[in-house]
Amino acid sequence: MKADQSLDCMGLYCPMPIVRTAERIKKLKVGEVLEVLSDDQGIKQDMPAWCESTGNEYLGEEENGAEIKVYVRKTQD
Amino acid sequence: MDKEKEKEKLTIVMFSGDLDRALAGFMLATTGASMGMDVNMYFTFWGLDILKKNDGRIRSKGILRKALHFIDRGGPSRLRLSNFHLFGLGTRAMRRLMKESKVPTIEQFITMAQEMGVKMIPCNTTCKVMGLPEDAFRDGISPMAGAAFFLGEARKSQVVLFI
């Protein structure tokens, strides 16, 4: 999947990937896609939940071995 | 993130001064703030240890209070595990494991939470009983407040936790 920005959260556990995502998403324009790299399995449950609460769009995940990429589209400022 | 809509609220009572419980509280507080919630943390009884400065003597009147501050100095770097403290060995081992796992320290969590706008409120009654002046606490925390203020916030909150 193509992303406008990428955030490396490898080696970080909950809640850090979510906290960093919330910080970074502020730097995106509405409609842009953020890719978050993580090796924490929890992110597959946490990121959709974060998107639901904040109103951003969860686009899905890609797994490659231990590396998980999740994609979020910013829907509002 | 809709600014027209009133933000959801998360209210947490931090009753315990245990390292593990403090961590759980701050993990949820920072995550709540990340999810766009308005977060209030009320610190009472041993939870006040988390907000105390790490250094300096706490000045208060009376032998009982002086003894209390001598035994229970507080400060985020002095918190102990609720279980397996083992005269300090267990707590030290846990701090090391957390560092290796890149989990922020309590000190870092407090700073992070403050930057995210999490409000930290000391309970005024416990502060008076224990003889804790405002300067015993770190900078950037909210003014002391009581039970009515807490309940006023709690009844407007979608999530209320007692840790």
Side-chain angles (χ1 to χ4, degrees):
Chain A
M1 208 177 288
K2 236 185 92 215
D4 298 289
Q5 288 195 36
S6 181
L7 174 66
D8 186 359
C9 291
M10 294 293 279
L12 296 177
Y13 295 112
C14 164
M16 294 316 294
I18 293 292
V19 171
R20 293 264 170 90
T21 300
E23 262 168 40
R24 177 59 82 82
I25 202 102
K26 292 180 193 153
K27 294 188 181 133
L28 270 74
K29 295 191 191 85
V30 172
E32 285 188 331
V33 175
L34 176 67
E35 166 193 79
V36 182
L37 263 73
S38 173
D39 52 359
D40 180 15
Q41 286 289 330
I43 199 160
K44 291 190 283 180
Q45 272 73 41
D46 282 359
M47 197 58 84
W50 179 81
C51 287
E52 205 191 326
S53 300
T54 55
N56 290 291
E57 189 185 353
Y58 187 67
L59 300 173
E61 66 231 15
E62 284 173 11
E63 250 183 289
N64 188 6
E67 190 188 88
I68 304 161
K69 286 179 182 170
V70 297
Y71 296 91
V72 177
R73 190 197 309 279
K74 181 169 179 169
T75 51
Q76 54 199 314
D77 258 323
Chain B
M1 287 201 173
D2 189 353
K3 283 184 186 107
E4 303 301 309
K5 207 176 72 184
E6 192 153 323
K7 276 187 173 184
E8 289 195 319
K9 279 176 179 277
L10 164 62
T11 299
I12 307 178
V13 181
M14 299 292 282
F15 186 88
S16 166
D18 294 332
L19 174 64
D20 32 19
R21 286 175 185 268
L23 264 176
F26 277 101
M27 283 179 173
L28 292 169
T30 51
T31 306
S34 297
M35 293 174 102
M37 298 176 98
D38 207 355
V39 186
N40 281 313
M41 300 175 94
Y42 286 85
F43 292 78
T44 187
F45 280 93
W46 318 113
L48 291 166
D49 281 352
I50 305 166
L51 291 186
K52 286 180 191 165
K53 287 176 189 154
N54 278 320
D55 317 301
R57 195 161 64 91
I58 294 173
R59 286 163 204 283
S60 56
K61 284 183 188 135
I63 184 122
L64 289 175
R65 291 188 179 120
K66 284 192 168 75
L68 178 67
H69 300 320
F70 180 73
I71 298 164
D72 176 35
R73 172 59 186 79
S77 66
R78 292 189 188 85
L79 305 182
R80 302 163 164 206
L81 282 179
S82 63
N83 217 340
F84 296 112
H85 177 61
L86 305 174
F87 308 105
L89 284 176
T91 295
R92 212 188 296 167
M94 181 60 84
R95 283 187 197 274
R96 198 168 129 190
L97 290 176
M98 291 191 328
K99 195 176 173 191
E100 283 173 12
S101 308
K102 296 189 200 166
V103 173
T105 61
I106 294 290
E107 198 80 60
Q108 290 165 333
F109 262 122
I110 295 174
T111 310
M112 219 159 65
Q114 285 181 328
E115 284 169 2
M116 298 169 101
V118 172
K119 283 195 219 73
M120 298 174 207
I121 304 127
C123 159
N124 63 342
T125 305
T126 28
C127 288
K128 293 291 171 299
V129 171
M130 293 179 166
L132 291 165
E134 296 214 12
D135 66 8
F137 300 119
R138 61 190 309 114
D139 293 334
I141 63 168
S142 303
M144 293 181 190
F149 188 69
F150 161 73
L151 287 173
E153 290 295 310
R155 66 201 294 264
K156 287 184 274 175
S157 300
Q158 283 71 22
V159 185
V160 182
L161 300 169
F162 191 101
I163 296 182

